[in-house]
Amino acid sequence: QVQLVESGGGLVQAGGSLRLSCAASGSIFSFNVMGWYRQVPGKQRELVARITSTGRTDYADSVKGRFTISRDNAKITVYLQMNGLSPQDTAVYYCNAGLYSDYVGDFWGHGTQVTVSS
């Protein structure tokens, strides 16, 4: 059974930074796509950033230039460095991973809360 475990969320002031991590465990050696999504109450979950095994990245327009996604394939871990945070970034952030797709995978973490105060 594959598990994705997020860490690094918390409370930060506007303009601050956080680094999220998501580590995979279980019967898995690698994923093709790994990414981060976020959701606020009453809204759909939205893509924040994703990265494929070849290093191709996609970002939501709202985070371009502020967030950076990276991965460590040996550790089966994906990171999200978030700089210049604003209250609009407040959400539950979910890790996602997939074996075959370049876009969205079948595995989800439980989420980590990010709260940005003004």
Side-chain angles (χ1 to χ4, degrees), residues 2 27-34 53 97-102 104-107:
V2 175
S27 302
I28 189 69
F29 294 102
S30 67
F31 289 110
N32 182 30
V33 66
M34 300 188 78
S53 59
L99 296 174
Y100 306 112
S101 173
D102 282 351
V104 62
D106 296 324
F107 301 100

Side-chain angles (χ1 to χ4, degrees), residues 39-98:
Q39 189 170 23
V40 298
K43 291 191 175 182
Q44 284 190 327
R45 194 171 295 186
E46 63 175 9
L47 171 71
V48 177
R50 60 185 166 218
I51 182 169
T52 67
S53 59
T54 60
R56 194 197 79 191
T57 57
D58 294 310
Y59 291 92
D61 288 342
S62 59
V63 306
K64 284 180 181 177
R66 299 188 298 123
F67 292 9
T68 302
I69 190 170
S70 60
R71 62 190 285 172
D72 184 331
N73 291 326
K75 296 181 179 180
I76 319 179
T77 299
V78 63
Y79 306 96
L80 186 68
Q81 178 66 45
M82 304 186 293
N83 299 327
L85 284 161
S86 73
Q88 287 70 38
D89 296 314
T90 295
V92 178
Y93 284 69
Y94 295 91
C95 179
N96 173 262

Side-chain angles (χ1 to χ4, degrees), residues 12-18 66 82-87 89 116-118:
V12 65
Q13 287 188 330
S17 299
L18 284 175
R66 299 188 298 123
M82 304 186 293
N83 299 327
L85 284 161
S86 73
D89 296 314
V116 185
S117 63
S118 57

